[in-house]
Amino acid sequence: MKYTKIASSLLFLASVASHSAFATPSKAPMTTIFYGGPIITMEKDKPTAEAVVTSQYGKIVYVGTEQEA
């Protein structure tokens, strides 16, 4: 009984490890859209915005209306 539990545990770990080794990363860029609350831009011309979009590296790539985001 003890060997059965060990063998099943090892089999489970091997299957998880092989799945993660062959998993392909997503090709789609990961962006984040912030909206629905007050966004202060610190710009004199446009002190507030409806939405902000950031790239996968955290760089701001868009500031403007929620509809265009």
Side-chain angles (χ1 to χ4, degrees):
M1 183 73 167
K2 182 178 178 181
Y3 294 114
T4 306
K5 288 182 181 180
I6 292 173
S8 64
S9 296
L10 289 175
L11 183 61
F12 174 74
L13 290 175
S15 67
V16 170
S18 67
H19 174 70
S20 63
F22 295 110
T24 57
S26 174
K27 302 280 190 228
M30 296 176 56
T31 58
T32 305
I33 302 173
F34 297 95
Y35 66 96
I39 299 172
I40 301 170
T41 64
M42 304 301 286
E43 295 285 328
K44 287 183 180 182
D45 297 339
K46 220 178 195 183
T48 60
E50 291 180 10
V52 173
V53 179
T54 60
S55 71
Q56 64 182 348
Y57 304 108
K59 183 177 178 180
I60 296 174
V61 294
Y62 174 79
V63 177
T65 64
E66 182 180 342
Q67 187 175 12
E68 291 182 10

